[in-house]
Amino acid sequence: VQAYSINLDFDKKISSKTQIFYGAEALLNVVRSSALRKNIVTGEQSPTNTRYPDNSSWQAYGAYLNLRYKPVNRLTFNAGIRYSHYQIRAEFDTLFFPFPFVTARNKNGALNGGLGLVWQPTGRTRFYSNLSTGFRAPNIDDMGKVFDSQPGTVVVPNPALKPEYAYNAEAGAVKTLGRFLKIDGAVYYTLLTNALARRDFKFNGADSIDYEGEKSRVMAIQNVSSAYVYGLQAGISVMLNKGFSLISKINYQKGEEQSDDSLKWYPKSHVPPLFGRTELNYTRKKLVLCFYAVYH
């Protein structure tokens, strides 16, 4: 993948209480993909179908505006808006795989925004909350990949993909007690619509095809109905005597997605289980030692 990007970012202080940030960006990804089949005994090589459409491209353009307003020292508001537009172009080689199309194009745009509030009643206590929207555009991996994910199953391209949208809410707090103890915690919830997930698919009207000599069930990345993820995280930091400190963090999340046929909810993939990290640190002059455990 060859990746090119350009960013323009500006900020301006309107008054002692108000500041704005704005800018734009452009991204270009060019994807190259080649493949061959090699007999490791004889060394004979022969061409075969590539995992991705060769010489395909993914482009994205965006502009944003963010406002930070601080009416009093202990209160800060943040508000932002962003427009993004993307487009994908993929050229498919029909020599090894009978694609029903030679060129696939996909483009779309989205307007997103966010609101945030930070309240710091004292120098040792801070509360914050955020509401935001977001989206993830399909990429070459989502739209144009061909591969056998497991024996008897083949994933085929789906050029009709749309972006998935996220609606997020988060709230948290940080508290410092004396010079030795700090605790923090947060809860969050994300709702996904048009979520991208792998599902059974039909290729040229057939739910199974012959792929490299084996009858394989057809699947493709598709926009399923909806999904959600919620969770919480908590942490504690203790400064002990003689250069020792103890830090521990724990994270819990749960996610489910809705079946597009039965409307039932079931566990969503790529949502990790309960996990955390606890570490004991020792610092003395130029020496830093860390003993930690990671668990899930």
Side-chain angles (χ1 to χ4, degrees):
V1 178
Q2 294 174 309
Y4 307 90
S5 66
I6 182 170
N7 293 72
L8 296 173
D9 299 287
F10 306 91
D11 62 87
K12 182 175 179 60
K13 192 172 184 178
I14 304 299
S15 67
S16 60
K17 297 180 179 180
T18 307
Q19 190 173 7
I20 61 172
F21 307 84
Y22 58 98
E25 71 172 353
L27 305 171
L28 170 62
N29 288 181
V30 178
V31 179
R32 306 283 186 178
S33 187
S34 60
L36 59 86
R37 186 183 300 275
K38 180 177 180 180
N39 187 316
I40 61 175
V41 176
T42 65
E44 181 183 359
Q45 297 182 4
S46 60
T48 186
N49 58 297
T50 60
R51 183 180 179 93
Y52 300 104
D54 186 34
N55 199 31
S56 52
S57 65
W58 182 92
Q59 301 176 56
Y61 308 93
Y64 73 92
L65 173 66
N66 192 70
L67 169 71
R68 179 183 296 167
Y69 177 59
K70 197 170 186 177
V72 294
N73 287 334
R74 301 186 184 278
L75 189 64
T76 302
F77 290 96
N78 285 286
I81 191 170
R82 176 188 174 96
Y83 178 76
S84 301
H85 178 84
Y86 77 92
Q87 58 187 49
I88 299 174
R89 179 190 59 80
E91 306 288 342
F92 293 91
D93 187 351
T94 59
L95 180 61
F96 300 100
F97 195 86
F99 295 105
F101 38 77
V102 177
T103 301
R105 299 182 184 276
N106 187 298
K107 60 182 179 180
N108 218 315
L111 183 67
N112 297 288
L115 293 172
L117 171 66
V118 179
W119 178 46
Q120 195 165 352
T122 69
R124 297 179 178 273
T125 304
R126 185 171 75 251
F127 299 95
Y128 61 89
S129 62
N130 293 287
L131 294 173
S132 65
T133 65
F135 88 108
R136 187 177 81 83
N139 54 36
I140 300 296
D141 184 83
D142 297 319
M143 193 190 83
K145 180 170 56 181
V146 177
F147 78 110
D148 49 340
S149 59
Q150 60 191 37
T153 300
V154 60
V155 177
V156 300
N158 180 12
L161 288 177
K162 297 179 180 179
E164 59 181 3
Y165 289 84
Y167 303 88
N168 314 291
E170 178 187 13
V174 181
K175 177 70 175 178
T176 302
L177 301 173
R179 296 182 177 180
F180 66 95
L181 179 64
K182 183 174 75 171
I183 56 177
D184 66 90
V187 295
Y188 63 88
Y189 180 89
T190 296
L191 173 66
L192 292 172
T193 60
N194 281 338
L196 298 175
R198 189 182 303 170
R199 289 286 188 273
D200 289 335
F201 195 64
K202 288 189 176 182
F203 188 80
N204 287 337
D207 56 9
S208 297
I209 61 174
D210 181 79
Y211 183 71
E212 296 190 338
E214 182 177 357
K215 186 175 182 180
S216 302
R217 181 164 58 103
V218 177
M219 303 188 77
I221 302 295
Q222 300 174 58
N223 294 103
V224 298
S225 53
S226 60
Y228 69 84
V229 179
Y230 67 84
L232 58 89
Q233 68 88 23
I236 184 171
S237 177
V238 184
M239 302 302 296
L240 305 174
N241 292 328
K242 298 181 179 180
F244 286 95
S245 63
L246 181 68
I247 300 174
S248 186
K249 294 184 179 294
I250 193 77
N251 296 268
Y252 169 79
Q253 48 275 310
K254 180 179 176 64
E256 291 185 329
E257 60 185 48
Q258 192 176 40
S259 169
D260 49 351
D261 49 8
S262 65
L263 299 184
K264 292 183 179 180
W265 294 88
Y266 55 93
K268 180 171 176 53
S269 60
H270 303 296
V271 176
L274 177 77
F275 69 94
R277 175 186 173 112
T278 298
E279 59 183 62
L280 177 64
N281 300 312
Y282 174 72
T283 303
R284 183 175 177 83
K285 296 183 179 179
K286 295 183 179 181
L287 176 67
V288 178
L289 299 176
C290 179
F291 175 78
Y292 64 89
V294 179
Y295 38 88
H296 55 81

